[in-house]
Amino acid sequence: VLTLTIPDVPDTPSTAPVLTYAPPDTVSVAFTAPGNGGSAITSYDVQYADNSAFTGAVSANSASSPKVISGLSPGKTYWFRVRANSSQGSGAYGPASSVLVISGPKIYYEGEWHNTICYYKLNGVWRIAIPHVKVGGTWKVIGG
């Protein structure tokens, strides 16, 4: 009996990427390789957008995890998802993760400018201050 294995595109990632925000405009996107479908994974596409429908999304190719994405706009929430590529084609995108990119004032320390994040204390718990803007009499999260 002859048994043949026909390679397929890589599997869909089963977990959302883990995001690590590095102010003011950079996110590290860590992900786990899915099954390869019988053919070696050659690269990954990390897709991101400022909306959960991924309208107008940008894709960045990566040889491995993590992929660092810079140049994001402060005051916006970004969604990230990943898919794997092989000689058989591209798998489907997996579940998404999101992060709010914020900015704060800069301080000059030991000859270099450093970014800061503003915090406030509410009921004994420190929280990140999220910038808002007043539009038509209503306060809204910037970029939200």
Side-chain angles (χ1 to χ4, degrees):
V1 173
L2 178 63
T3 303
L4 297 175
T5 301
I6 300 172
D8 199 357
V9 299
D11 297 340
T12 302
S14 59
T15 59
V18 175
L19 308 176
T20 304
Y21 173 52
D25 68 350
T26 302
V27 173
S28 175
V29 183
F31 50 90
T32 303
N36 64 19
S39 182
I41 292 173
T42 56
S43 66
Y44 299 89
D45 293 326
V46 177
Q47 190 179 56
Y48 61 98
D50 62 3
N51 61 81
S52 61
F54 286 86
T55 305
V58 175
S59 288
N61 193 265
S62 182
S64 61
S65 174
K67 174 67 175 174
V68 176
I69 307 291
S70 296
L72 302 171
S73 297
K76 289 187 175 184
T77 297
Y78 285 90
W79 282 261
F80 296 83
R81 62 186 180 180
V82 177
R83 72 177 177 187
N85 305 304
S86 73
S87 62
Q88 301 302 307
S90 299
Y93 282 104
S97 296
S98 65
V99 64
L100 173 62
V101 175
I102 61 174
S103 66
K106 294 182 179 259
I107 58 169
Y108 193 74
Y109 178 71
E110 294 186 352
E112 292 184 27
W113 285 100
H114 299 271
N115 295 300
T116 64
I117 298 176
C118 297
Y119 289 86
Y120 67 96
K121 196 171 191 180
L122 178 64
N123 298 326
V125 177
W126 285 101
R127 302 171 189 266
I128 294 176
I130 300 172
H132 284 66
V133 64
K134 195 170 189 178
V135 178
T138 304
W139 284 100
K140 297 183 178 188
V141 174
I142 292 176

